[in-house]
Amino acid sequence: MIDIRNGPDRVLVYTDGWHAASAAGNEYVFKNVKVRLCESSRGVNVELESAGEIMGICLKYRGKFAENTRVLGDHWERAYADLGFDSLRPEKALPWYFIAYDGKKADCYGVKTGPNAFCAFFAYAEGFDLVCDVRNGGGPVLLGDRTLTVCTLISREGKEAESAFEAGRAFCRMMCDAPRLPAKPVYGSNNWYYAYGNSSHSDIVGDTELLAELTKGLENRPYMVIDDGWQVRHDPAYCGYNGGPWNCGNEKFPDMAGLAAEIASRDIIPGIWMRPLFYRGKEYESLGLSRCKDSLDPTLPAAQEIIRGDVSRIAGWGYRLIKHDFTTVDITGRWGPHMTYGSITDGGWNFADRSRTTAEIVLDLYRLIREAAGDAYIIGCNTFSHLSAGIFEIQRTGDDTSGTDWRRTRRYGVNTAAFRSIQHGAFYAADADCVGITDKIPWEMNRQWLELLANSGTPLFVSADPRAMTPEIKEDIRRAFALASREMPLAEPLDWTYNDCPSRWRTGDTERVFKWQQPDKNELDF
């Protein structure tokens, strides 16, 4: 175990390039840049002062990992079917935290949730680096005379009596001091994976009635989440536009408040999707980011008022769960897989307010959305995981599953459920995404995904095409909802240290084996 309390062996700062800082006690200095490490009861606080432009810092810790060590890192935002224990790869960014497992015990290193920088670890045989990106957009931040608390570095030594899963879960609890969690288990329906934006008021009412039928008698009531396609400017022919304004529905959704009331009248809780930063049109260009005028700059007061008004309006219509989407790609221009080597966005641009780091700006945006929603729950999708923890009740922890392609559900859904469920209850309620139920996916495969989620202790949402419903499928969903509606122990993947799509799971006192591969189908297309 590398002892972080001994301090780094070297500190680098990035101004016009990487430069070594000189050590003086717990401070490291290069010209007008000062990095200070302060040990506290929470961990090791990393503080930064810079009278000029600054982009990042790097703390290098030396030590020795066992030769057979495998590491598991996190993702900046959602998982993309690529999480798993891997060999030591010095060039691979491990965002936020990593678990080093040598086959006997799992040692963990990370930063507390809510940091003011994008923090990535790089692990190699002789130790690890912690790189903290403090840029403003794609350029330097101007801190002025303030001291920035960059992050709080923590670690946890593993125990041979615990599994790597148990160690990871305990460490997630250490990273987040105050998670914001739903009062009851969250489950229900979302119309995306069969409608894909082609829906209407009457379709949602039909989905709600089906949901009410399948949850009759359950004390904890489910959510009906209206996904993309309701907004006034939704127009697939207009470059697939799925942005704002969010002040009313389109011709297929003439009365959004009335629809929320209709859902609630059936003893179902109304939920809805939105994309708060995406506004296309000349009237919004002055409020856009310098890198993309279609994305509101969240540092501009006028843009903040639009976002605040949209979220509070939707909550005022009666929607008690608000799913907000795309803020990561709308701010950075990149999806998670393209945030390589610790770089989350292209260089050469800044926010209107250059005095704060991108992480600080994102945190303020998330807090604004949280405050504007009042007592409605918030689910973040395509949001930064470590910055969402403690602010949002629910987090979509993986990229989209599918209602048409079983391979995508298996790859993205199962991988996400396995490798991010350690965050469930520690950061937020971790949603691995829907069971997309259509006639395009064999029920023998989807039933297993439904069974895993229902027994996992994490949120369960189904996206059920009414045309695909059979008595058998209805009964399976009814049983799954009954399980998902109550508190369940967290499922543990038993083969996750060597299988990126775990098939062996412990759910409560039961060990289950799932067969994720379609027996009569070759997944490789020639």
Side-chain angles (χ1 to χ4, degrees):
M1 181 79 183
I2 298 173
D3 192 345
I4 60 172
R5 295 170 300 178
N6 292 337
D9 292 81
R10 201 172 186 193
V11 172
L12 309 178
V13 301
Y14 196 104
T15 52
D16 57 347
W18 284 110
H19 302 279
S22 300
N26 68 334
E27 293 185 346
Y28 300 82
V29 180
F30 172 76
K31 293 185 177 179
N32 59 3
V33 179
K34 181 183 296 184
V35 178
R36 185 181 305 110
L37 303 182
C38 304
E39 190 172 343
S40 71
S41 59
R42 299 182 71 242
V44 178
N45 296 328
V46 181
E47 298 178 351
L48 173 65
E49 297 175 11
S50 178
E53 296 183 341
I54 182 75
M55 298 180 73
I57 62 175
C58 174
L59 280 59
K60 291 180 170 287
Y61 290 84
R62 291 293 175 266
K64 185 70 174 177
F65 289 111
E67 290 185 0
N68 60 342
T69 294
R70 297 179 66 79
V71 295
L72 170 67
D74 197 25
H75 253 297
W76 293 116
E77 43 116 356
R78 297 173 300 182
Y80 287 85
D82 54 357
L83 287 177
F85 283 87
D86 199 357
S87 56
L88 293 168
R89 294 171 55 192
E91 75 285 355
K92 181 179 180 179
L94 306 169
W96 310 124
Y97 67 85
F98 73 97
I99 301 171
Y101 180 61
D102 65 3
K104 295 181 180 179
K105 65 186 184 72
D107 297 332
C108 304
Y109 305 86
V111 299
K112 288 273 193 180
T113 57
N116 292 317
F118 287 89
C119 304
F121 293 85
F122 295 81
Y124 41 91
E126 300 83 13
F128 66 83
D129 296 349
L130 169 59
V131 177
C132 303
D133 181 345
V134 298
R135 288 182 298 168
N136 172 278
V141 67
L142 303 175
L143 294 177
D145 59 1
R146 72 186 178 106
T147 298
L148 176 72
T149 300
V150 177
C151 64
T152 300
L153 176 63
I154 63 172
S155 63
R156 180 186 185 275
E157 186 169 8
K159 306 171 184 177
E160 293 194 9
E162 66 186 358
S163 67
F165 188 85
E166 292 169 328
R169 192 178 182 195
F171 190 60
C172 285
R173 292 195 188 100
M174 286 178 58
M175 283 187 282
C176 187
D177 292 331
R180 187 179 182 118
L181 302 172
K184 299 177 181 179
V186 173
Y187 73 106
S189 183
N190 177 301
N191 70 321
W192 178 252
Y193 292 107
Y194 84 87
Y196 287 104
N198 183 17
S199 188
S200 68
H201 182 118
S202 61
D203 290 336
I204 296 299
V205 171
D207 289 341
T208 302
E209 291 175 343
L210 175 62
L211 182 58
E213 174 192 345
L214 298 177
T215 59
K216 185 177 180 179
L218 298 181
E219 181 180 355
N220 177 24
R221 301 309 297 155
Y223 292 82
M224 179 64 230
V225 181
I226 306 166
D227 215 290
D228 182 21
W230 66 267
Q231 63 272 28
V232 64
R233 287 186 63 188
H234 173 71
D235 183 3
Y238 182 43
C239 303
Y241 185 71
N242 64 348
W246 306 96
N247 52 11
C248 62
N250 55 48
E251 65 279 1
K252 292 184 177 181
F253 291 87
D255 184 358
M256 296 307 297
L259 180 52
E262 284 197 58
I263 294 171
S265 72
R266 289 158 173 81
D267 200 20
I268 302 296
I269 308 171
I272 199 166
W273 171 98
M274 69 175 302
R275 183 177 181 175
L277 294 185
F278 195 37
Y279 270 79
R280 181 175 290 168
K282 291 188 178 297
E283 66 269 39
Y284 303 108
E285 286 184 356
S286 64
L287 302 179
L289 292 171
S290 61
R291 66 154 207 90
C292 176
K293 293 302 181 183
D294 290 342
S295 295
L296 297 179
D297 184 333
T299 69
L300 292 171
Q304 294 167 12
E305 287 308 305
I306 290 175
I307 298 164
R308 181 178 290 107
D310 287 341
V311 175
S312 63
R313 181 184 307 110
I314 289 171
W317 287 340
Y319 293 95
R320 313 318 302 150
L321 185 151
I322 299 174
K323 176 183 176 183
H324 74 92
D325 203 351
F326 286 97
T327 50
T328 291
V329 74
D330 285 342
I331 288 174
T332 68
R334 292 187 183 181
W335 301 100
H338 303 134
M339 296 175 180
T340 56
Y341 296 95
S343 177
I344 65 164
T345 187
D346 292 339
W349 69 277
N350 292 95
F351 293 95
D353 176 1
R354 294 190 60 189
S355 68
R356 292 178 294 150
T357 69
T358 302
E360 289 181 288
I361 291 166
V362 170
L363 283 168
D364 284 345
L365 170 65
Y366 290 174
R367 291 172 184 136
L368 184 157
I369 292 171
R370 172 62 273 160
E371 179 184 359
D375 60 0
Y377 286 161
I378 293 290
I379 176 170
C381 184
N382 187 227
T383 49
F384 292 109
S385 171
H386 235 56
L387 304 183
S388 299
I391 299 177
F392 304 142
E393 289 86 357
I394 314 161
Q395 180 85 347
R396 254 285 303 280
T397 48
D399 194 15
D400 291 8
T401 54
S402 179
T404 61
D405 182 358
W406 166 249
R407 293 174 299 178
R408 185 174 181 93
T409 295
R410 174 182 60 76
R411 292 178 61 226
Y412 288 80
V414 177
N415 183 264
T416 297
F419 292 95
R420 296 197 97 170
S421 61
I422 56 174
Q423 300 167 358
H424 177 72
F427 292 177
Y428 33 58
D431 170 23
D433 207 15
C434 296
V435 183
I437 303 172
T438 70
D439 59 9
K440 295 180 174 59
I441 297 181
W443 185 239
E444 65 182 286
M445 307 310 298
N446 249 345
R447 182 194 285 117
Q448 295 186 94
W449 177 227
L450 176 72
E451 180 184 350
L452 174 59
L453 290 179
N455 287 277
S456 70
T458 67
L460 166 64
F461 285 97
V462 304
S463 192
D465 187 342
R467 297 164 296 186
M469 292 295 98
T470 65
E472 176 195 13
I473 292 175
K474 281 188 175 183
E475 187 57 33
D476 287 342
I477 298 173
R478 185 179 286 109
R479 285 196 297 266
F481 279 157
L483 291 169
S485 71
R486 61 180 190 256
E487 295 286 350
M488 300 279 288
L490 186 64
E492 177 179 355
L494 299 177
D495 53 345
W496 76 320
T497 58
Y498 61 88
N499 183 1
D500 292 356
C501 185
S503 57
R504 292 176 50 240
W505 291 75
R506 180 183 294 114
T507 58
D509 296 328
T510 303
E511 182 175 328
R512 301 169 187 265
V513 178
F514 296 93
K515 298 180 180 180
W516 302 120
Q517 301 290 335
Q518 297 182 76
D520 299 320
K521 187 169 183 178
N522 190 333
E523 295 192 358
L524 298 179
D525 295 324
F526 290 99

